[in-house]
Structure formats: C-alpha cells, structure tokens
Amino acid sequence: MLSNQDNELVTRTNPGTPMGDLLRRYWVPALLSEEIPAPDCPPARVKLLGEDLVAFRDTRGRIGLIGERCAHRGTSLFFGRNEECGLRCVYHGWKYDTEGNVVDTPAEPAGSDYHKKLRHTAYPTHESNGIIYAYLGPRELMPIFPNYEWTQVPLEFTYVTKGLLECNYLQGLEGECDSSHLSFLHRSFTNERNQALYKSDTAPFYETEDTDFGVRLIATRNAADNQHYVRSSAFVMPVYGCVPAGRPTNELEGYEIHTYVPADDTRCWRYDIGFRRDRAVRDDEVHRRKQIKSDYTRIRNARNNYLQDRQMQKTVNFTGIEDFLNHDACATESMGAIFDRSKEHLGVSDKAVIAVRKFLLSAVKELQDGKEPPHLVRDAQRNWFPHVDCFAYLLPRNVTWRQHFDYLTESALKENPASFAARQKAAS
Ligand code: FES
Ligand SMILES: [Fe+2]
C-alpha cells in the first residue's frame, strides 16, 4: 500500500507538481504521425500532462507543438489556418511558427514590433517510426532522444496504436508490471497454448532488479516436461512497460512497448508499439486497431460495460470481453479515476508493482532534492538499449534465465553492437 501522501505524489502530473516535473525531464509520446500526416494539413489537439496543446506540420514539414490558446485573447489555435510556414489564429490573424514565435499580428498598426516581445509556449519534438515525441521540460536540461531498439528498425517492421485510458496513468503502468494477471484477466478457454502456460501455475515466482533504465521484472512459472516458463518484462523510465507479446514463445524476434502518458490526472494515452527485428509486420498482428475509434477512444468502454458477454465468460475467456486491450481497461478503469492505494492489500504477486513504485517514488523524491533523474541520455556514445530486451521462454528447469540470457547485463553494453547481436541470436 501507499500512504495518501505518496499516492498523491506519484499520481499527480500537472505543471508544477513534483511528478509532473519528473515526467517533463523525459521524451514522451505526444501524438501519432498520422494525426498530422502532411505539410499544411489540419492541426491536432494534444492533451498532455494536464496541458492543452496543438500540433501542426508546417509548409516545410517541420513540426510545431504549441499552446492551444492564442497569446492574444485565447481563441483555440486548433481552428487556425495552417499556411505559409505557420499557424494563424482565426480570430484576428496572429500567426505562430513551430518555435512559438509570433511572426505576424495583422490587426496591429503597420510597422508594430509588438509581436517581437511575445513568446508563445512551444515544445521540442522528435518524430520516430510513427510517433511524435515531445520534451516538456526546461530547455537547458533537455536530454538526447534515446535510441531504443524500436526506434532504430525500419518503419515497416513496427506498428503502433494509440487509445485513451480513462484513469490515472499509474494504474495502466502497474498492469504492465504484473505478470500474474495473465493467468486470470487474459485467460482464454479456447487457446491451448495460453491454457498450458498460464493456467498450470497461477502463482509465478517473481524476481526484480533495478537497472540503468528502470526495473527488469521476471516471472517464472512451472511448466510441463520438467521445464519452467520465464517471462521477462521491463519497466523503462518514465512510463514504458516493455513486454513479450504477439509472437510464439521462444522466438526473440521483437517485443511490445506499452506506454502510459498522462493526458491529465484522470486519463492517459496508451501507446502500444510493437517491432520485429528482421521482418515486416503483418496486418493481422495488429488486432488491437479494430478496438479503437478514429478519435482514439475505445468502442468498449466503462459506459457500455466493455460490452461484456456473460455467456462468453462461461465458455470463451475469463472476462467475457474481447481483446487484451479491453481486459486491461476494464481492470484498471474500474478502480476509479485515481485509485486510493492506502486501501489496497498487496500480496507476494505484487512484488514487481512494488519495485516499480519504489523506483518512481525514489526518482521523484531525489529530483525534489535536486538530483538528476535516472536514465537521461547525455552521452551519444552510450545511446543504445538492447538490454531492455523482453522474452517469454521455456527453459529446462535446471537452467536459470540468467544463465541462458547472459547478454542481458549492463556490462554487455560495453561490447560492440555486432557481438551483442550475435550473443542475443545465440540465445534464441
Ligand atoms: S485571439 Fe487569436 S488573434 Fe486574437
Ligand atoms: Fe494485461
């Protein structure tokens, strides 16, 4: 459980809050590339960390992420004209470039230099494989954009979906650090592999280890034929849950990254990113897409009870609800907008959740004491993270995951990329 004070500390992310300050020190997903697909296309609203923003792609393809309310008298720039390298307010024609400079104030007298004294909110962005990331912190402290493995493979080797989760970001994130719910919430009665791996041992043995990027989470279940089934996931600062998903067991061909970025304190954006190391993604692998509407809300939501089917619950799966995405939403949204963790009763199965909370709380408290947060990239030579790797693997009972996946150490990063990749391949 958490004290009320720590619960408030770790869940509130609006400007000026300690956790808001921490999250603002990292690059986080702000929107999908598809929301502003072409130069001079219509702008998109972006709700992020309690801030109202507008994103646009200017005539030269540069991306602007600026405050939604016009600096003049506050009209929403979402309705603006995106033209000639700037976004122009529909009320009196003030125009903004991607850096937040006011470049034209046509309602002011000719020759006025009033606009030169103004500077509008504008944040740096970085576009990578279908996602536009943003940095909302102090400019002078901006870290290098991290070259995660999923940002380094060709675009067609990746997929991404975005959906609104109607609860605090931490409820979503904690679900990624909780392997035991796979045996229940996501259990299928019709998929034999799912039954064999998750039903036979519903109380996995957990290990956690703090790393340079966050926390590695390992859940081990007993399996048939004198084997054990090991699932290794990763919590990556500040809001990434990396999980083995969408591929057969014992193939290390990529993994999924589930990201929970606060929109405000009671809603967050779940970005699911998947990648393959050496092949293009097939359309049928992105089953989640059909659960999400064009405004990025889900078809199945709290207002329609996730379209739960009680007959399906008897015969098809544990919840009677379609798709993992909706299972997770049902479990985490139904806790309430911001769950009061002083009311919970944690068990042994919550070891990984506890480790991740501890990591976040210690980072936010250290930042309050003036210490640099963990996992900010400052050294371009050390900007690669293959050891975030996740896997779901059946191993002989007498082989530990540490023995088999001996490349998953920080010291392995001192090797060159080719030898690292060779050791990774050898393990698969
Ligand atoms: S309110 Fe935007 S130009 Fe006047
Ligand atoms: Fe889940």
Side-chain angles (χ1 to χ4, degrees):
M1 75 175 244
L2 287 185
S3 65
N4 279 319
Q5 200 182 2
D6 277 352
N7 201 44
E8 284 290 297
L9 185 62
V10 75
T11 55
R12 303 285 178 178
T13 63
N14 281 353
T17 60
M19 194 65 201
D21 288 347
L22 180 69
L23 295 186
R24 280 171 173 78
R25 299 292 296 278
Y26 297 83
W27 288 93
V28 291
L31 71 161
L32 296 180
S33 300
E34 69 182 26
E35 294 180 66
I36 46 169
D40 288 339
C41 70
R45 280 200 180 95
V46 175
K47 183 83 184 180
L48 195 59
L49 298 168
E51 299 189 39
D52 294 311
L53 306 169
V54 163
F56 67 103
R57 202 182 290 268
D58 79 1
T59 313
R60 287 170 52 191
R62 294 171 299 197
I63 294 167
L65 181 63
I66 65 175
E68 180 178 354
R69 310 264 164 256
C70 179
H72 179 214
R73 279 169 46 207
T75 294
S76 170
L77 295 170
F78 171 74
F79 300 102
R81 300 173 64 90
N82 186 10
E83 58 188 15
E84 293 161 351
C85 284
L87 188 61
R88 193 182 286 283
C89 178
V90 289
Y91 205 178
H92 313 93
W94 285 27
K95 184 176 175 184
Y96 301 83
D97 70 9
T98 55
E99 301 292 316
N101 300 306
V102 182
V103 292
D104 194 16
T105 50
E108 295 300 300
S112 163
D113 66 352
Y114 180 40
H115 65 280
K116 292 192 181 143
K117 302 189 181 87
L118 302 164
R119 182 148 169 88
H120 196 52
T121 299
Y123 295 119
T125 59
H126 180 99
E127 190 168 22
S128 165
N129 276 350
I131 298 180
I132 297 166
Y133 297 80
Y135 172 76
L136 273 61
R139 287 285 177 121
E140 66 282 9
L141 298 173
M142 186 168 83
I144 299 171
F145 181 80
N147 288 336
Y148 296 121
E149 204 177 348
W150 63 88
T151 68
Q152 301 300 299
V153 294
L155 178 62
E156 62 274 21
F157 288 19
T158 68
Y159 56 91
V160 59
T161 59
K162 167 183 173 178
L164 186 68
L165 186 67
E166 295 181 77
C167 63
N168 183 258
Y169 83 98
L170 190 59
Q171 283 155 234
L173 187 60
E174 286 179 350
E176 302 301 334
C177 311
D178 162 14
S179 184
S180 73
H181 83 267
L182 293 174
S183 295
F184 306 97
L185 185 73
H186 299 310
R187 189 189 298 175
S188 162
F189 302 148
T190 54
N191 178 326
E192 275 177 31
R193 182 179 145 256
N194 176 296
Q195 291 265 54
L197 294 176
Y198 298 110
K199 199 184 162 194
S200 54
D201 183 355
T202 58
F205 172 71
Y206 283 102
E207 294 161 87
T208 64
E209 61 177 19
D210 287 2
T211 69
D212 61 333
F213 56 74
V215 187
R216 191 185 308 289
L217 317 161
I218 301 101
T220 304
R221 290 170 166 85
N222 291 316
D225 304 325
N226 214 23
Q227 298 183 99
H228 55 186
Y229 176 55
V230 187
R231 279 182 67 88
S232 172
S233 316
F235 159 65
V236 177
M237 280 294 280
V239 288
Y240 299 95
C242 303
V243 294
R247 63 199 163 87
T249 304
N250 288 23
E251 282 184 29
L252 303 182
E253 62 168 3
Y255 54 89
E256 275 195 6
I257 304 90
H258 301 165
T259 301
Y260 297 85
V261 193
D264 51 31
D265 285 346
T266 60
R267 298 173 306 162
C268 62
W269 298 107
R270 173 175 171 164
Y271 291 85
D272 287 353
I273 310 160
F275 76 99
R276 304 288 175 249
R277 290 202 163 101
D278 51 11
R279 67 168 175 88
V281 171
R282 298 185 311 271
D283 268 358
D284 65 294
E285 291 178 285
V286 200
H287 49 87
R288 205 162 290 151
R289 202 162 274 156
K290 63 175 190 286
Q291 303 295 333
I292 300 169
K293 297 196 274 191
S294 59
D295 64 357
Y296 302 107
T297 58
R298 288 184 329 278
I299 296 165
R300 291 161 192 267
N301 55 56
R303 286 165 294 286
N304 58 28
N305 288 331
Y306 308 91
L307 302 176
Q308 186 183 37
D309 178 335
R310 295 291 186 180
Q311 189 53 38
M312 183 176 165
Q313 191 172 28
K314 284 194 195 309
T315 55
V316 178
N317 67 15
F318 205 75
T319 55
I321 299 170
E322 192 180 291
D323 203 278
F324 277 39
L325 186 69
N326 302 314
H327 305 162
D328 288 334
C330 169
T332 54
E333 290 177 342
S334 64
M335 295 170 182
I338 306 179
F339 181 56
D340 175 0
R341 292 172 178 76
S342 71
K343 300 263 191 305
E344 68 191 0
H345 299 85
L346 298 180
V348 173
S349 68
D350 302 302
K351 184 175 176 180
V353 171
I354 294 165
V356 168
R357 284 182 191 173
K358 214 168 127 198
F359 199 95
L360 278 170
L361 277 166
S362 118
V364 73
K365 286 173 184 170
E366 284 178 3
L367 180 63
Q368 286 180 304
D369 292 340
K371 203 172 154 203
E372 163 113 332
H375 188 47
L376 294 180
V377 185
R378 302 279 180 213
D379 177 358
Q381 304 304 313
R382 288 289 313 266
N383 188 7
W384 70 309
F385 307 95
H387 63 319
V388 170
D389 200 7
C390 303
F391 56 83
Y393 222 82
L394 279 164
L395 284 171
R397 212 63 70 88
N398 61 356
V399 179
T400 68
W401 70 269
R402 259 180 228 282
Q403 289 166 327
H404 191 83
F405 296 97
D406 62 345
Y407 64 87
L408 287 178
T409 60
E410 279 173 51
S411 60
L413 292 180
K414 299 198 177 81
E415 299 178 17
N416 66 47
S419 82
F420 184 93
R423 292 217 298 160
Q424 192 176 43
K425 205 166 176 53
S428 71

